[in-house]
Amino acid sequence: MAAPTQAVGSGLLETRGLERILEALKLLLSPGGSGSSSLQITKHDVLLATLKSNLCALEDKLLKDPQWQKLKLLRDEIANKAEWPQNSADVTWSFASQALSLLLCLKETMVRLAADFRPPKPNPRTPEVAPALSPDTLSVSQQKTVQSALQFVVTLGVCPYLMPGVGVPLRYRTEFGAVVQDVVCLDAAPCAARRLYTSCRALLSAAQHASLGSLIFCRHFGDIAAGLCQLGFCPTKGKPPTPVEEVLTEEERTLCRGALRDILDQVYQPLAVRELLILQGGPPQSCTGVKTQVRCRAPAWLRRLCGQLLSERLMRPSGVQAVVRGILEGAGAGAAGGNDAEATAADWRKCDSIAKILASCPQQALSPESYYEHVCPQILDLFHFRDELTVRQFQRVATTTFITLSRERPELAAKYLLQPVLVPLHRCLNTAEIPETDIVPGTILVTEEELNGCIEDIFKVYVVGNEPLPVLLDSLLPVLGLLFSLYCFTQQSVSHLRSFCQEILLWILGKLERRKAVASLKGFAGLDRAGPCLHPLCQFRAAPQGGIMITIKEATRDEDEDEALYQKVSSEQSQVEHLGDLLSHCQECGLAGDFFIFCLKELTHLAVESVTESEPKPSSSPSLLELEQQRALLVEGQERKLLVLQLLAVLCERMSEQIFTNITQVVDFVAATLQRACASLTQETESAVESQTLSMSMGLVAVMLGGAVQLKSSDFAVLKQLLPLLEKVSTTYPDPVIQELAADLRITISTHGAFATETVSVAAQSTLNKKDAEGKRGEQQQTRHDRHMEEMAQSRPETSPQAGPESDAARTPSTATHPRSASVTAEALQEALVSAYDPQIPTRAAALRTLSCWIQQREARALESGEKLLAIFLENLEHEDTFVYLSAIQGVALLADVYPEKILVDLLARYDSGKDKHTPETRMKVGEVLMRIVRALGDMVSKYREPLIHAFLRGVRDPDGAHRASSLANLGELCQRLDFLLGPVVHEVTACLIAVAKTDRDVPVRRAAVHVIVLLLRGLSQKATEVLRDVLKDLYQLLKYVVRSEPDGVAQLHAQLALEELDEIMRNFLFPPQKLEKRIVVLP
């Protein structure tokens, strides 16, 4: 039983020793005398006096206090092992030496405590109890004490002894640092190099304990690394002996080099990268004077060393991420994010510099290929981070690295970056070889995650990067057909990949050479089947998570051949339609016009081929195989011709009249039309449609030559391409008018417009008139229809109200449409009054609308029957149909605009009546009428303020919850418009709102009460501080109460919105915006 007791006692003594060391540190770091003088010399003296006083106090405590004897013995033991001088003529070094000794004592004590600690076994009866802490755990206050000691040690024992350009000088950090830099005595023993070596070795020894190591490296890693760089790597050859050479041996320098590499491997890698970049420094700067506050540039040996160490960080596993995080976290986008994360994302220069670093092969790499083989997979991983705080920066860095590497090393970029991105798509091309093991129906070749990641990465690299480099374009060309097939599949249902595919296709079609872009469109349309496309055994399928995957097709059975054929035809048709949708976005760049011209030329070519193939070939006896081949070629030609016709139909339907963007396209279009006309003349297959098309195209040329377009000399060079075709038409076309026009156009083009016949002018004017006539035809038809309807309305016979709902519904809108065609007659008024009681809902609603229209137009005969109209409207308020009672509400509101005092009294009486007289629904409809009246009255509502507010306040006490909520809503609308006139009743309104919000049992009523405050603050805006001056505090307390105690989430939301409005009002009141304006006064 003695052993446990002895262990417990030993642990207790060690714990007391730990506390004693921390007390010693506090005593050593305690502030001294007054340092309030502003003179620099006084600050120096105060600092030195404080350091001496604290050292003397610590020595006295260690010598005289018997409870501190064990600490003194431990300190002496550690000092003897360390073998560095404890005392010096320089007070700053003596102070730093004592602090280092105490830190080493603390580390030794914590190690012993951790070694003697035996955690008790957990009690199964209380599993929720936290396990016992290790006795070497420091509390928050103890950690602060240790951090203060570390700061003194680094400030007094490391930073003053760094060479110029190594690390950040003390004088640029804090005012205290500048004072320390001046009071350090470098002439006293030990020398500066030995002091720096002692401090770094002692701090590294203390950092061997995990708790102390985290405190040391978290704040002071950069200074320790700078000291180790200077001690281990500062060159000594080629210059006279320095203190470093005199004091430090080669073995000690080797130890410093090893220690530097050890701590670089030990710490958080982004921290190491950031500190190395700081040590490496920036561009050369002047350091001639201290007053300029400009740092000296780092020495050349240090820049080379930091570059080498940074390259080693980069070549480590996850080194790319460490470099990116190290640079970006230093800008404020660290693990905790911060307010600067968005600003860092916008700092594209920083992202570009990171990309240049990653794209540059370091000298330590064996070869560029080995470097990129190691780094490129890590660059690809940057695209797939899901951390919201860093995803934007990482993706920008990855995209910029892609672009930079593709520009500088295209072969390696294609091999190690682009090919891995496009692997899922290459796997499913018809040019790829699918393994036999995968050719099983239903086998998934590309999973949903792979396809999503592939498409998103392509979008980020190509579209977001937006650099049309040749290697990027060439890498994407083989998979364009597959991307278009995927785009067509996404059109069948909702898919997030649709926009990605569309943007990718539009981007590359706009960046490609026009010839390659048109060739790609041919492949999309099915006119060129030689290009890569989706493998015939593969198909797109909907994935379980809502995405898309690529699988092996199911085998087609004999009975499903018809269905497969139907699916093939419908798929081809939908592809053409989707291609038309895609080209509708390519009109401005001219690609749609070029493809349309290509289709016209292809149609002419196919027409010529079909006639040639249809001619009988002299053959004695063709074999069966030859006949089959001829039939196959004929069918293929017919399919191609139908496809071209379908393409032209879709393009004509989807494209606008601005499909042609330049003269060249217009000339190509006319040339294609002329070629088709010449081909039809050769084949003697002229038709009326082709004749009209030819006339239209030649008229288009006449319009251009007639001055509709300002032609240049280069434009005439393009127009000269039409001369041979026009000559052929002028000599061979059977129509003499077209012959003459073609000849005259040829003369006009040849003379660059210097000579133009009357035929050209007539053709141009005819074409323009035809276009204007087509545009005006719709307007004329609409005008003729309106005139016909007006004549019918004026000449319709009088019919009885019982003629039916169709006749009434047809009559009443005509009256509303043409209200001032004639004054209201007594018969028309009587008819409308009778129709207002019609059982047919459309007739009744139309009559109410007509009466409302007459009131709005101030028709005298209608206003004379104001009481009858009011009774009709009020009676229809109780109707259950929405169209009827809304028309009645509108009528009462318009009538109140004419007789406000008389109507408001009746309405307020109805609003205050109980359930026995009117239903709650009717009373709420009356409330809606009152609100419309309030809006119509505008500023004149102040005259009726008292009866309206009192009626709404009485409505808040109604037993019906819906009516209470309606009254509160109306009260809020009214108070929002009263502004300063709310002053006399503001206390009543506030008391009502507070009582309802806190005590009402119905949730909608409480919501309405809080919403009234929102409306009130929003309506008064900056005037709230004056109007609500006496009750603003009560409203604020009510809102805070609702936010804290209200169980209903909607009411809490309303309260939060009101608090935000109040916050904005008070901010503008306390801190009004500064207006930069000049006022010019003209003196008399």
Side-chain angles (χ1 to χ4, degrees):
M1 299 298 292
T5 305
Q6 184 177 359
V8 172
S10 176
L12 184 59
L13 290 175
E14 294 293 347
T15 303
R16 291 177 180 174
L18 178 67
E19 297 174 353
R20 198 75 64 207
I21 295 172
L22 292 169
E23 290 179 10
L25 286 174
K26 287 183 180 179
L27 179 61
L28 189 64
L29 304 177
S30 58
S34 172
S36 60
S37 176
S38 61
L39 297 176
Q40 189 74 5
I41 184 64
T42 305
K43 293 180 180 179
H44 296 168
D45 294 341
V46 169
L47 175 60
L48 292 174
T50 302
L51 297 180
K52 290 179 182 179
S53 174
N54 291 351
L55 285 172
C56 294
L58 178 62
E59 289 297 332
D60 291 342
K61 194 71 172 178
L62 290 172
L63 293 174
K64 296 179 181 180
D65 194 338
Q67 297 181 357
W68 289 50
Q69 289 300 317
K70 290 188 177 181
L71 174 58
K72 183 178 182 304
L73 295 175
L74 180 60
R75 187 197 66 171
D76 295 340
E77 177 185 355
I78 289 176
N80 293 332
K81 290 181 181 179
E83 297 182 355
W84 76 68
Q86 297 291 315
N87 297 321
S88 173
D90 186 3
V91 179
T92 58
W93 173 247
S94 299
F95 188 89
S97 179
Q98 290 295 332
L100 285 172
S101 299
L102 291 177
L103 287 174
L104 292 176
C105 292
L106 179 64
K107 174 242 181 179
E108 187 65 26
T109 304
M110 294 173 69
V111 170
R112 294 176 184 177
L113 285 173
D116 297 337
F117 177 60
R118 298 292 183 271
K121 296 182 179 180
N123 188 355
R125 296 182 180 179
T126 57
E128 70 279 359
V129 177
L133 285 175
S134 176
D136 64 337
T137 305
L138 298 177
S139 65
V140 176
S141 61
Q142 292 172 345
Q143 289 183 11
K144 290 183 178 179
T145 302
V146 175
Q147 286 175 350
S148 300
L150 290 172
Q151 187 172 359
F152 268 96
V153 167
V154 172
T155 304
L156 298 176
V158 177
C159 295
Y161 313 114
L162 296 176
M163 298 171 57
V166 179
V168 181
L170 277 176
R171 64 179 70 255
Y172 301 137
R173 302 190 186 185
T174 60
E175 185 180 359
F176 176 73
V179 176
V180 170
Q181 188 74 42
D182 294 334
V183 300
V184 172
C185 181
L186 298 178
D187 297 332
C191 65
R194 178 57 61 182
R195 294 183 188 183
L196 180 60
Y197 177 79
T198 299
S199 299
C200 291
R201 294 295 297 173
L203 288 172
L204 292 178
S205 177
Q208 293 176 359
H209 191 277
S211 299
L212 294 178
S214 62
L215 294 177
I216 292 173
F217 292 138
C218 181
R219 298 284 184 89
H220 310 290
F221 173 79
D223 294 323
I224 297 174
L228 292 175
C229 288
Q230 178 176 318
L231 293 171
F233 295 92
C234 180
T236 58
K237 296 181 180 180
K239 60 182 182 179
T242 62
V244 176
E245 291 179 333
E246 297 172 359
V247 178
L248 296 185
T249 64
E250 187 62 31
E251 181 181 358
E252 291 173 335
R253 289 167 61 83
T254 304
L255 288 176
C256 292
R257 298 188 193 105
L260 176 62
R261 298 188 182 279
D262 290 340
I263 64 173
L264 285 175
D265 294 338
Q266 177 183 350
V267 299
Y268 178 56
Q269 289 303 297
L271 173 63
V273 171
R274 185 168 68 248
E275 295 299 337
L276 287 174
L277 288 172
I278 294 174
L279 280 178
Q280 193 175 28
Q285 296 174 336
S286 174
C287 59
T288 55
V290 176
K291 293 183 179 180
T292 59
Q293 295 295 315
V294 180
R295 287 180 51 190
C296 295
R297 193 186 185 195
W301 64 267
L302 181 59
R303 296 197 303 272
R304 290 193 299 269
L305 173 62
C306 291
Q308 179 182 354
L309 296 175
L310 284 170
S311 300
E312 293 177 1
R313 299 303 100 194
L314 181 60
M315 294 295 292
R316 289 167 56 90
S318 302
V320 171
Q321 182 183 353
V323 171
V324 176
R325 286 186 181 274
I327 298 177
L328 292 180
E329 288 179 4
N339 295 330
D340 296 333
E342 292 295 327
T344 305
D347 190 0
W348 57 270
R349 294 185 181 88
K350 189 177 294 294
C351 296
D352 286 350
S353 63
I354 299 174
K356 291 179 181 178
I357 293 173
L358 297 178
S360 302
C361 178
Q363 297 179 355
Q364 291 75 19
L366 298 177
S367 65
E369 187 161 357
S370 63
Y371 169 73
Y372 292 117
E373 184 180 3
H374 175 76
V375 168
C376 287
Q378 300 183 46
I379 297 175
L380 293 175
D381 291 338
L382 296 179
F383 280 129
H384 306 139
F385 279 90
R386 300 303 179 189
D387 184 7
E388 295 181 358
L389 295 174
T390 58
V391 63
R392 294 181 59 189
Q393 299 93 320
F394 279 18
Q395 289 181 3
R396 179 150 198 157
V397 169
T399 300
T400 311
T401 306
F402 259 85
I403 301 303
T404 305
L405 189 56
S406 300
R407 185 185 301 113
E408 297 178 357
R409 296 181 179 269
E411 300 84 4
L412 295 177
K415 182 176 181 180
Y416 294 111
L417 285 179
L418 300 176
Q419 287 184 7
V421 169
L422 300 173
V423 158
L425 300 182
H426 282 291
R427 199 184 305 160
C428 306
L429 291 177
N430 56 354
T431 56
E433 295 183 1
I434 301 177
E436 294 183 1
T437 55
D438 292 339
I439 306 179
V440 178
T443 302
I444 300 177
L445 288 182
V446 181
T447 62
E448 178 183 4
E449 293 78 12
E450 288 179 326
L451 190 59
N452 288 345
C454 175
I455 300 300
E456 291 177 3
D457 290 349
I458 292 174
F459 177 80
K460 295 168 186 174
V461 173
Y462 292 83
V463 181
V464 177
N466 196 22
E467 283 285 341
L469 300 174
V471 64
L472 294 178
L473 299 177
D474 294 341
S475 64
L476 199 58
L477 273 178
V479 298
L480 276 186
L482 195 149
L483 284 174
F484 179 72
S485 300
L486 178 60
Y487 169 73
C488 295
F489 183 81
T490 57
Q491 298 287 339
Q492 300 177 11
S493 61
V494 178
S495 175
H496 71 285
L497 295 180
R498 182 190 306 170
S499 59
F500 288 134
C501 294
Q502 178 176 325
E503 292 295 332
I504 294 169
L505 292 171
L506 292 176
W507 180 85
I508 192 168
L509 289 175
K511 301 299 181 181
L512 282 173
E513 297 178 7
R514 192 50 53 90
R515 177 179 55 82
K516 292 183 178 180
V518 173
S520 300
L521 292 175
K522 288 169 56 180
F524 297 167
L527 295 175
D528 184 7
R529 303 184 185 275
C533 60
L534 184 65
H535 199 284
L537 295 179
C538 300
Q539 65 175 355
F540 295 106
R541 286 185 57 186
Q545 301 298 326
I548 300 173
M549 58 185 179
I550 303 178
T551 63
I552 298 295
K553 288 182 179 179
E554 301 287 343
T556 305
R557 294 175 295 183
D558 295 340
E559 56 270 17
D560 295 339
E561 290 183 357
D562 294 340
E563 180 66 21
L565 180 61
Y566 170 76
Q567 292 292 339
K568 179 178 180 296
V569 174
S570 61
S571 174
E572 292 177 352
Q573 182 178 0
S574 63
Q575 282 190 358
V576 172
E577 294 177 355
H578 298 325
L579 179 60
D581 294 336
L582 194 65
L583 285 174
S584 63
H585 300 282
C586 302
Q587 296 187 73
E588 294 182 0
C589 65
L591 179 59
D594 288 340
F595 187 68
F596 181 75
I597 295 169
F598 161 77
C599 292
L600 289 176
K601 294 179 179 179
E602 185 69 15
L603 183 62
T604 303
H605 179 67
L606 290 175
V608 174
E609 283 187 351
S610 62
V611 173
T612 304
E613 292 175 356
S614 61
E615 294 178 357
K617 297 181 180 180
S619 177
S620 57
S621 57
S623 63
L624 185 61
L625 180 60
E626 293 176 351
L627 290 175
E628 188 68 25
Q629 290 177 351
Q630 291 178 5
R631 184 179 295 275
L633 290 175
L634 183 61
V635 171
E636 182 179 355
Q638 293 295 329
E639 289 181 353
R640 189 177 181 86
K641 188 172 183 179
L642 289 174
L643 183 57
V644 172
L645 289 173
Q646 186 180 4
L647 275 171
L648 288 172
V650 170
L651 291 176
C652 292
E653 179 183 355
R654 303 293 173 86
M655 300 298 112
S656 65
E657 58 185 7
Q658 287 84 19
I659 185 172
F660 298 136
T661 58
N662 51 54
I663 298 295
T664 304
Q665 288 185 337
V666 176
V667 171
D668 290 341
F669 166 72
V670 175
T673 307
L674 294 176
Q675 287 175 356
R676 191 165 69 254
C678 294
S680 63
L681 289 176
T682 304
Q683 301 162 10
E684 298 181 357
T685 57
E686 181 191 0
S687 64
V689 176
E690 290 182 351
S691 179
Q692 293 177 3
T693 307
L694 181 62
S695 301
M696 182 267 295
S697 61
M698 295 176 67
L700 186 59
V701 177
V703 168
M704 289 192 298
L705 295 173
V709 179
Q710 190 69 28
L711 296 177
K712 304 176 183 177
S713 58
S714 58
D715 297 332
F716 280 103
V718 176
L719 285 169
K720 286 183 179 180
Q721 301 174 9
L722 302 176
L723 294 179
L725 296 173
L726 289 172
E727 183 179 5
K728 188 174 183 179
V729 171
S730 64
T731 56
T732 60
Y733 205 80
D735 190 348
V737 176
I738 293 181
Q739 280 187 358
E740 182 182 1
L741 178 59
D744 292 344
L745 287 175
R746 183 171 174 273
I747 295 172
T748 306
I749 294 173
S750 300
T751 59
H752 286 208
F755 177 77
T757 62
E758 187 179 356
T759 306
V760 176
S761 303
V762 172
Q765 190 63 35
S766 175
T767 304
L768 292 175
N769 292 339
K770 188 180 300 183
K771 181 178 179 181
D772 295 339
E774 291 178 356
K776 295 179 179 178
R777 191 175 301 150
E779 299 179 3
Q780 292 176 357
Q781 291 178 355
Q782 182 66 27
T783 306
R784 194 180 304 116
H785 177 266
D786 293 342
R787 191 183 300 116
H788 176 67
M789 292 298 296
E790 183 176 355
E791 292 174 356
M792 290 183 60
Q794 293 176 357
S795 62
R796 73 177 188 272
E798 296 292 336
T799 56
S800 62
Q802 290 80 11
E806 292 80 2
S807 60
D808 289 324
R811 288 194 307 268
T812 310
S814 67
T815 309
T817 306
H818 305 281
R820 297 200 179 271
S821 58
S823 60
V824 179
T825 62
E827 294 79 5
L829 177 62
Q830 185 63 31
E831 179 184 352
L833 293 175
V834 174
S835 299
Y837 292 97
D838 196 284
Q840 298 291 335
I841 291 177
T843 304
R844 176 180 292 202
L848 294 175
R849 291 282 178 175
T850 302
L851 294 173
S852 301
C853 184
W854 288 342
I855 296 172
Q856 188 176 11
Q857 296 167 3
R858 298 296 194 271
E859 292 288 351
R861 196 179 297 275
L863 295 179
E864 290 175 359
S865 305
E867 295 183 359
K868 290 184 180 180
L869 295 178
L870 178 61
I872 291 173
F873 287 139
L874 292 177
E875 183 175 349
N876 281 282
L877 276 180
E878 301 181 1
H879 200 280
E880 61 182 7
D881 186 78
T882 308
F883 194 25
V884 174
Y885 73 71
L886 286 178
S887 302
I889 288 174
Q890 181 186 11
V892 178
L894 292 173
L895 196 60
D897 192 29
V898 182
Y899 309 111
E901 297 182 357
K902 182 178 180 181
I903 303 297
L904 272 177
V905 174
D906 194 2
L907 292 178
L908 290 174
R910 285 175 172 266
Y911 192 76
D912 284 340
S913 62
K915 290 185 178 180
D916 52 345
K917 294 184 179 179
H918 298 285
T919 62
E921 290 79 7
T922 302
R923 296 164 66 194
M924 283 190 287
K925 294 173 186 176
V926 173
E928 174 63 24
V929 175
L930 292 173
M931 281 303 96
R932 295 197 181 193
I933 295 173
V934 167
R935 298 188 192 105
L937 288 174
D939 295 338
M940 294 299 296
V941 74
S942 58
K943 181 178 180 181
Y944 311 101
R945 177 191 62 186
E946 298 295 335
L948 286 171
I949 285 184
H950 292 160
F952 294 147
L953 290 177
R954 286 192 297 270
V956 174
R957 295 182 299 174
D958 193 86
D960 183 69
H963 188 70
R964 294 201 303 274
S966 174
S967 299
L968 285 170
N970 297 337
L971 181 63
E973 183 80 19
L974 177 62
C975 293
Q976 193 176 13
R977 299 178 182 277
L978 285 177
D979 287 350
F980 289 100
L981 298 175
L982 186 62
V985 294
V986 67
H987 291 280
E988 300 178 31
V989 174
T990 305
C992 173
L993 295 177
I994 294 174
V996 172
K998 289 186 176 181
T999 62
D1000 199 288
R1001 61 184 181 276
D1002 291 340
V1003 173
V1005 181
R1006 297 199 301 272
R1007 292 178 185 174
V1010 181
H1011 188 59
V1012 170
I1013 303 177
V1014 178
L1015 294 177
L1016 192 59
L1017 295 175
R1018 192 171 295 166
L1020 293 175
S1021 185
Q1022 298 305 315
K1023 294 178 281 189
T1025 54
E1026 301 180 37
V1027 178
L1028 305 177
R1029 178 178 51 193
D1030 298 333
V1031 297
L1032 204 56
K1033 181 180 179 182
D1034 298 334
L1035 293 178
Y1036 175 74
Q1037 292 176 347
L1038 172 63
L1039 294 174
K1040 296 295 288 185
Y1041 168 80
V1042 173
V1043 171
R1044 289 194 307 265
S1045 306
E1046 174 61 46
D1048 180 58
V1050 178
Q1052 288 183 352
L1053 177 61
H1054 287 321
Q1056 190 63 40
L1057 292 175
L1059 286 173
E1060 292 177 2
E1061 293 285 344
L1062 186 58
D1063 178 70
E1064 184 68 22
I1065 291 171
M1066 296 309 298
R1067 284 180 184 273
N1068 293 332
F1069 176 74
L1070 296 174
F1071 309 104
Q1074 301 294 329
K1075 295 182 179 180
L1076 301 177
E1077 59 181 10
K1078 288 185 178 180
R1079 184 169 298 174
I1080 301 175
V1081 179
V1082 180
L1083 298 176

